[in-house]
Amino acid sequence: MFEALTPVSEMLTRNLDTLSRQPLLVCGLLEDDLPGLLADAGPAPRIFTTDFRYFQWLQGKNRGLAVEFGHLPAQEPAAGLLLLMPKAKAEAEYLLATCLPLLAPGAPVFIAGDNKGGVKAAPRLLAAYCDQVNKLDSARRASLYQAELSRPVTPPDPAAWVRRYSLARDGLSICSLPGVFSAEHLDSGTRLLLDTLDQVEGRVLDVGCGAGVIGATLLKRNPAIRLEQTDISALALQASRLTLAENGLAGEVYASDGLAQVRGPFDCIVTNPPFHAGLKTFYHTTETLLRQARDYLAPGGQLLLVANAFLPYPEIIGQAFGHCDTLTANGKFRIYRARR
């Protein structure tokens, strides 16, 4: 999954002498073994990732690298920073604000990324922290920017990064963080799903919970359910915890790569599955979820999901369950259900 070097990392291999002069804190859109290449070239970097899947993969490489998973980096000093530009500019701003306080003035700061992925905003992103930003390299449709931290950075107030919106029907306040899906408003797919669903019971799993909209809504409507919410994004998991707390609700929130870290059986598995990873379209995780879901359901348990109408999910669900019902549809989305 992460074995092949991305074009961004291929460009960075031309600059290993510069990047390996000090043990960098590396964060952002990590998609390959760039940390291992940095470790081979010089002092081993420290890795901070919000992606649980990448965290597990890098740990499994057994390279002895210090790798952290969470929504905030460990509060330990760092000698420099390399940010791999994430898909969302707001997430890049968040990562800089949370990581740069770990650096002393004069420490090197690097930002690298795909030219179509927002990396050209690096000078603007660093303007508040660095007096001068230089483009160090450009190749493979990717660029690397270099700067020095000009002044100490005060750690941010985590609450200042929380964004909220209301769901009037259920009287809920949804909390979100940068980079989390549908951070500013309820997306139309989830809206259709919640308009279609109402009563669920027993043990309910919300897979790919994002800001916690689906799980919190179902729990508000059905207070007796036992809710579990999972995601691979540490920022999404934190947003879901905040959403539950904000609304006086209780549920279990934890990291899981699809169904790999959950223990069934469940009476209901519900999801609005993503199909983008970074800048790429990515179906494998959802297709695996649909094929495995039946094994995680109690007898009579149901799988419920919303998906873009063009995706081939009914065929996959039908192969796993023997049937797939379409509960409702509009021009863009469909709500599917299958029972064990």
Side-chain angles (χ1 to χ4, degrees), residues 280-303:
K280 300 173 291 187
T281 302
F282 187 74
Y283 303 102
H284 173 74
T285 297
T286 299
E287 292 177 359
T288 300
L289 164 67
L290 300 182
R291 292 188 176 99
Q292 295 178 344
R294 186 180 183 279
D295 296 332
Y296 288 81
L297 288 169
Q302 60 180 333
L303 169 68

Side-chain angles (χ1 to χ4, degrees), residues 99-135:
C99 291
L100 288 179
L102 306 178
L103 275 59
V109 180
F110 302 95
I111 297 182
D114 189 293
N115 289 338
K116 294 183 179 180
V119 73
K120 294 178 182 179
R124 295 193 298 275
L125 291 170
L126 292 174
Y129 308 108
C130 307
D131 292 336
Q132 183 174 348
V133 181
N134 302 310
K135 180 183 280 191

Side-chain angles (χ1 to χ4, degrees), residues 190-211:
T190 299
R191 184 182 300 279
L192 181 64
L193 178 65
L194 295 179
D195 287 345
T196 304
L197 303 184
D198 197 4
Q199 185 173 356
V200 294
E201 59 184 20
R203 191 177 177 210
V204 176
L205 175 66
D206 176 7
V207 180
C209 57

Side-chain angles (χ1 to χ4, degrees), residues 162-246:
V162 180
R163 297 292 178 265
R164 292 173 173 81
Y165 60 90
S166 298
L167 299 185
R169 171 184 167 182
D170 296 286
L172 289 171
S173 176
I174 305 302
C175 300
S176 193
L177 289 167
V180 176
F181 173 69
S182 194
E184 301 292 338
H185 55 81
L186 182 64
D187 66 285
S188 55
T190 299
R191 184 182 300 279
L192 181 64
L193 178 65
L194 295 179
D195 287 345
T196 304
L197 303 184
D198 197 4
Q199 185 173 356
V200 294
E201 59 184 20
R203 191 177 177 210
V204 176
L205 175 66
D206 176 7
V207 180
C209 57
V213 178
I214 296 173
T217 301
L218 293 179
L219 185 55
K220 184 70 179 290
R221 296 176 184 176
N222 306 273
I225 67 172
R226 303 184 303 280
L227 175 67
E228 297 181 27
Q229 295 177 294
T230 66
D231 207 294
I232 63 167
S233 165
L235 293 168
L237 295 171
Q238 180 64 8
S240 287
R241 295 186 190 101
L242 293 171
T243 293
L244 290 176
E246 180 108 344

Side-chain angles (χ1 to χ4, degrees), residues 254-328:
Y254 56 95
S256 181
D257 183 3
L259 297 171
Q261 281 70 41
V262 306
R263 298 184 64 181
F266 295 93
D267 298 289
C268 177
I269 297 175
V270 60
T271 183
N272 180 358
F275 63 97
H276 287 91
L279 299 173
K280 300 173 291 187
T281 302
F282 187 74
Y283 303 102
H284 173 74
T285 297
T286 299
E287 292 177 359
T288 300
L289 164 67
L290 300 182
R291 292 188 176 99
Q292 295 178 344
R294 186 180 183 279
D295 296 332
Y296 288 81
L297 288 169
Q302 60 180 333
L303 169 68
L304 294 158
L305 73 148
V306 57
N308 290 77
F310 67 86
L311 293 170
Y313 293 164
E315 293 85 352
I316 298 172
I317 296 170
Q319 291 170 4
F321 285 83
H323 70 284
C324 177
D325 302 322
T326 300
L327 299 184
T328 191

